[in-house]
Amino acid sequence: MITITNLVRTYQTGDNEVRALRNIDLAIATGEFAAIAGPSGSGKTTLLNLIGCIDEPDEGTIEINGSVVHAGKAKERALFRRENLGFVFQSFNLVPVLTAEENIALSLSLLDMPAAERRERLRAIIDEVGLTGMEDRRPARLSGGQQQRVAVARALVKDPKLVLADEPTANLDSETGAAILDLMHELNQSHKTTFVFSTHDPMVMDRADRLITLRDGRIVDDDLRRRAS
Amino acid sequence: MNARAGVALAWKNLFRHGRRTIITASALAFGLLVYIMADSMLRGIEVDTERNLILYETGAAQVLAEGYLEERDLRPLRYAIETPEEIESALEESGIKAVARTTFSGELIVFQDPFPEDGSVQVTGYGIDPSDDGDVYRLEETITKGRFLEPGEDGAVLGGWLAEDIGADVGYPITIVTRTRGGFFQTLELDVVGIADTPNPIINRYAVFVPIDTADFYLQMEGAVTEIAVAGKLRGVDRALTAQMEQELASFPGVDVVGWDRLAMDYVAIAQTKNSGSSTILFFVFVIAAVGVSNTVLMSILERRREIGMMRAMGLYDGEIRRLLLLEAAGIGVIGAGIGIALGAVTNYFLVTNGIDYSFWLRDMDAGYRITGVLRGVWNGDTFASAFAAGVIITVITAMMPVRRALRTTIVESLRTD
């Protein structure tokens, strides 16, 4: 599903050049539940941003389902994101003036979809992520775990091919974080959606089917054993 | 993003910081309120001035002898209409009410006993036809003391302020020194028969009215008059009327038809200045609104950089986000303009019904406007509509720059914002 070839991304910070990613080659298959791990500054978020078409590489290519995703114009990339990708952020990034249901529906409002189908999808995903009864609450009245559930639902409701999650448990306590990971895994299984997430939390790494480890912008380990098991 | 969701989100964002939105909207509302009030009063002054010019000073238009208009300030009697009756008949046959007058300048001289002191003052004399003058002018209705003129008498009606300035009362004798049509000095010995308090300050301050046949005798006009004034509409220049008059009088050589605006150039100049004054007010409204809205939108965007980054990551086009943010700005504009015109309507109701009494300083001021006391506003739907539209448009235009700035930031930078 995702084929990354010789990916290079360099940042300029003042007079210094930071090589965030160095010649990354990687393939992720459809339906994988893969974690990208590594210490701070290893390039995890940069790699996710590039896969998510919100950043552009200096060299190399990223293909998703056979298309080079960063080749098009900004509007084409935006269209690709709205139709194919879901994002889950470390700090949830919910819209505070919208209720839980409205936040989830925001994702669907970008798609041309009959109102009945939209309502049906909303009802189903709210049920799946365990937010029934909390639909009308605004983010301020939800716990961190509940807010991340809303964010996961918002990413999944449009049935994307790929969900990218940047440190999805970093702002949660370990118990809540584990619950969110379990939820994401269940959804990965039930929706057959590919999940790629970054983390430096051992608990999260343990729950991943595949663990890709980055250090100084390079892949230093790619543990496929869990997927095999 | 579908339009309904966009509008709903913009509406909710408007009240994310409700107090801030209301404060910004209030600044806009205050600016528009000032604009509406100022426009109402200035238009009210225009309406009153034009009415008071037409009813007490110039008529809607005048027929003048060729050459008179250029030297009108000197009141030259040598440019006179020799056959006023024929012209009046021609006009009245076509349904235009017309009346002849002879205007002259002179020096009014008074002596102690009965006047409080000796002195003289420059005045403008008007020879008027007591029986027909009311067809065009409203002088007779403004007599507050004594009576109106009678044909052929050596009597005078004085403007109210003039009478007050020289200490005149009904029955007092006055002397006006002037020149005849032939250029000889002439003295008119008259008795004050009435005092007129008109709403026109020029008439109140400088006018002495005498019967036209009395003026004809003393000024040796031999039946000629300096002008024939006609009645017409009381607002704006009646171009149809002047065109009709020119047509009717085509067979009368040596006469010009002029609208009241050309007889009151001092006022027309002031009115044009007023228009630029209104533009200045509108400019300040723009500045107030621009600063307030720009600040609010900028703060709103800075606070929501990560949220905007999230929406762009989700796949919203920049154009959709721009529309969303501009819709919010327009919302502030609608609220501010709505409050502004509502307050404007309430204030204007007071201005129209009660007005503001400026008589204490209008008496000492010669600003070109023909008003003497209470200034009243007028209702003008265009002003309210333009104030509303300007309020909304200003806020949207002002918001464009911070919105553009927000969209120049990359998605990655936006998401990285703490």
Side-chain angles (χ1 to χ4, degrees):
Chain A
M1 182 198 189
I2 306 171
T3 308
I4 296 170
T5 310
N6 194 32
L7 196 67
V8 174
R9 183 70 172 104
T10 305
Y11 292 114
Q12 199 73 33
T13 55
D15 292 336
N16 299 323
E17 193 175 73
V18 179
R19 301 194 69 188
L21 293 177
R22 306 170 188 225
N23 309 99
I24 299 285
D25 291 304
L26 180 66
I28 297 172
T30 300
E32 280 200 59
F33 193 68
I36 301 171
S40 290
S42 58
K44 305 185 294 290
T45 300
T46 302
L47 182 55
L48 280 185
N49 288 343
L50 288 166
I51 296 171
C53 309
I54 58 175
D55 195 7
E56 292 177 62
D58 295 310
E59 291 175 35
T61 56
I62 302 170
E63 289 180 33
I64 299 178
N65 288 344
S67 303
V68 179
V69 291
H70 49 84
K73 292 179 179 172
K75 196 167 183 180
E76 290 166 346
R77 293 201 298 273
L79 181 62
F80 179 82
R81 288 195 300 271
R82 76 163 65 183
E83 288 178 346
N84 297 286
L85 304 183
F87 288 89
V88 178
F89 301 96
Q90 176 181 331
S91 49
F92 324 134
N93 286 357
L94 301 180
V95 181
V97 291
L98 300 180
T99 64
E101 184 174 331
E102 287 166 341
N103 265 288
I104 300 166
L106 187 62
S107 200
L108 291 180
S109 72
L110 305 182
L111 304 176
D112 191 14
M113 182 183 291
E117 187 185 344
R118 187 177 293 135
R119 278 195 300 274
E120 176 56 29
R121 281 209 199 186
L122 270 176
R123 191 199 56 71
I125 197 77
I126 285 169
D127 190 42
E128 270 186 286
V129 300
L131 286 171
T132 305
M134 295 174 217
E135 300 92 328
D136 296 331
R137 291 192 193 172
R138 288 189 177 187
R141 291 187 55 219
L142 295 171
S143 68
Q146 288 165 341
Q147 287 187 56
Q148 197 61 305
R149 282 170 189 268
V150 175
V152 170
R154 181 180 64 189
L156 267 168
V157 70
K158 62 183 179 183
D159 211 11
K161 294 183 173 67
L162 173 64
V163 171
L164 298 163
D166 187 14
E167 308 261 12
T169 61
N171 280 1
L172 303 172
D173 61 69
S174 56
E175 194 180 333
T176 310
I180 288 292
L181 250 293
D182 290 341
L183 171 68
M184 284 167 58
H185 207 175
E186 282 169 31
L187 296 168
N188 161 252
Q189 300 293 313
S190 59
H191 287 249
K192 305 295 179 202
T193 303
T194 308
F195 273 74
V196 179
F197 48 93
S198 65
T199 186
H200 55 258
D201 181 346
M203 179 276 292
V204 177
M205 293 179 207
D206 285 345
R207 282 174 160 75
D209 291 343
R210 177 181 180 186
L211 184 63
I212 302 155
T213 308
L214 290 182
R215 190 180 301 276
D216 297 331
R218 288 195 176 90
I219 295 176
V220 294
D221 189 27
D222 190 354
D223 181 359
L224 300 169
R225 286 171 301 175
R226 276 170 259 222
R227 188 172 62 176
S229 65
Chain B
M1 177 179 265
N2 64 50
R4 193 174 165 187
V7 170
L9 182 56
W11 176 254
K12 290 187 176 186
N13 277 329
L14 256 186
F15 296 100
R16 179 185 291 217
H17 297 289
R19 193 178 300 172
R20 189 196 294 164
T21 299
I22 293 298
I23 288 170
T24 308
S26 299
L28 179 64
F30 178 74
L32 295 178
L33 169 65
V34 171
Y35 169 65
I36 288 169
M37 281 174 61
D39 187 80
S40 169
M41 293 303 289
L42 289 170
R43 281 179 194 271
I45 290 171
E46 269 185 16
V47 169
D48 284 354
T49 293
E50 290 180 18
R51 191 184 61 234
N52 293 338
L53 263 166
I54 292 165
L55 291 180
Y56 300 98
E57 196 177 331
T58 62
Q62 289 187 0
V63 181
L64 302 173
E66 256 176 15
Y68 183 87
L69 184 66
E70 289 72 23
E71 296 185 37
R72 184 169 171 268
D73 289 345
L74 301 172
R75 311 294 184 198
L77 298 177
R78 66 179 181 279
Y79 298 109
I81 300 166
E82 302 296 341
T83 55
E85 297 84 2
E86 291 176 27
I87 290 176
E88 280 183 75
S89 299
L91 291 172
E92 279 168 8
E93 273 173 25
S94 58
I96 300 171
K97 288 182 177 175
V99 64
R101 277 186 169 190
T102 290
T103 306
F104 58 99
S105 62
E107 187 174 9
L108 187 154
I109 301 169
V110 296
F111 298 99
Q112 269 196 342
D113 190 20
F115 288 94
E117 53 190 304
D118 295 347
S120 65
V121 61
Q122 284 294 320
V123 295
T124 302
Y126 296 90
I128 66 171
D129 185 340
S131 52
D132 290 347
D133 198 66
D135 288 349
V136 175
Y137 295 106
R138 295 287 178 272
L139 179 67
E140 189 172 0
E141 296 168 13
T142 64
I143 300 290
T144 52
K145 213 166 188 185
R147 60 172 174 79
F148 195 52
L149 295 165
E150 288 175 1
E153 68 175 340
D154 285 347
V157 166
L158 302 185
W161 293 353
L162 174 63
E164 206 176 307
D165 288 346
I166 63 175
D169 207 342
V170 173
Y172 282 23
I174 55 170
T175 301
I176 295 174
V177 176
T178 185
R179 285 176 186 267
T180 64
R181 189 182 182 194
F184 299 104
F185 276 106
Q186 177 65 287
T187 303
L188 284 73
E189 299 286 352
L190 307 164
D191 288 325
V192 177
V193 300
I195 292 169
D197 273 312
T198 76
N200 183 321
I202 299 293
I203 298 300
N204 271 7
R205 186 175 283 128
Y206 302 112
V208 176
F209 295 94
V210 298
I212 196 166
D213 41 8
T214 302
D216 184 81
F217 172 75
Y218 283 111
L219 303 175
Q220 298 170 4
M221 295 298 287
E222 297 175 347
V225 298
T226 57
E227 71 230 30
I228 296 168
V230 303
K233 67 178 187 180
L234 301 179
R235 176 83 168 115
V237 181
D238 198 339
R239 300 284 176 215
L241 174 68
T242 52
Q244 187 189 354
M245 289 169 69
E246 279 167 357
Q247 197 177 346
E248 296 298 334
L249 302 179
S251 58
F252 291 89
V255 294
D256 288 332
V257 173
V258 294
W260 64 263
D261 56 323
R262 293 177 66 197
L263 301 165
M265 296 297 283
D266 57 334
Y267 159 68
V268 171
I270 289 286
Q272 283 167 351
T273 308
K274 172 239 126 183
N275 288 336
S276 65
S278 293
S279 304
T280 307
I281 292 170
L282 205 55
F283 173 75
F284 281 114
V285 169
F286 174 82
V287 170
I288 292 168
V291 171
V293 173
S294 177
N295 187 45
T296 301
V297 174
L298 187 62
M299 279 200 288
S300 170
I301 286 171
L302 287 176
E303 286 168 359
R304 288 156 56 194
R305 274 176 72 168
R306 198 153 61 183
E307 189 179 308
I308 291 168
M310 175 274 292
M311 290 200 282
R312 292 168 78 192
M314 276 173 60
L316 261 85
Y317 302 135
D318 285 359
E320 290 176 317
I321 293 177
R322 185 180 297 115
R323 276 198 295 277
L324 190 66
L325 295 171
L326 292 181
L327 201 58
E328 284 179 44
I332 296 173
V334 168
I335 293 170
I339 295 171
I341 64 167
L343 291 176
V346 171
T347 310
N348 204 43
Y349 176 77
F350 169 79
L351 293 177
V352 171
T353 53
N354 297 318
I356 301 173
D357 188 354
Y358 281 115
S359 54
F360 62 96
W361 64 264
L362 278 174
R363 170 78 187 264
D364 300 322
M365 192 184 72
D366 196 358
Y369 287 118
R370 304 311 200 263
I371 43 175
T372 54
V374 177
L375 305 190
R376 289 182 199 282
V378 291
W379 289 107
N380 183 30
D382 287 351
T383 300
F384 282 81
S386 62
F388 188 87
V392 176
I393 291 168
I394 284 167
T395 50
V396 172
I397 290 173
T398 313
M400 282 179 176
M401 197 168 286
V403 168
R404 189 184 303 164
R405 189 176 149 182
L407 295 175
R408 267 210 305 264
T409 309
T410 66
I411 300 174
V412 172
E413 283 169 345
S414 300
L415 289 170
R416 203 185 291 143
T417 306
D418 290 325

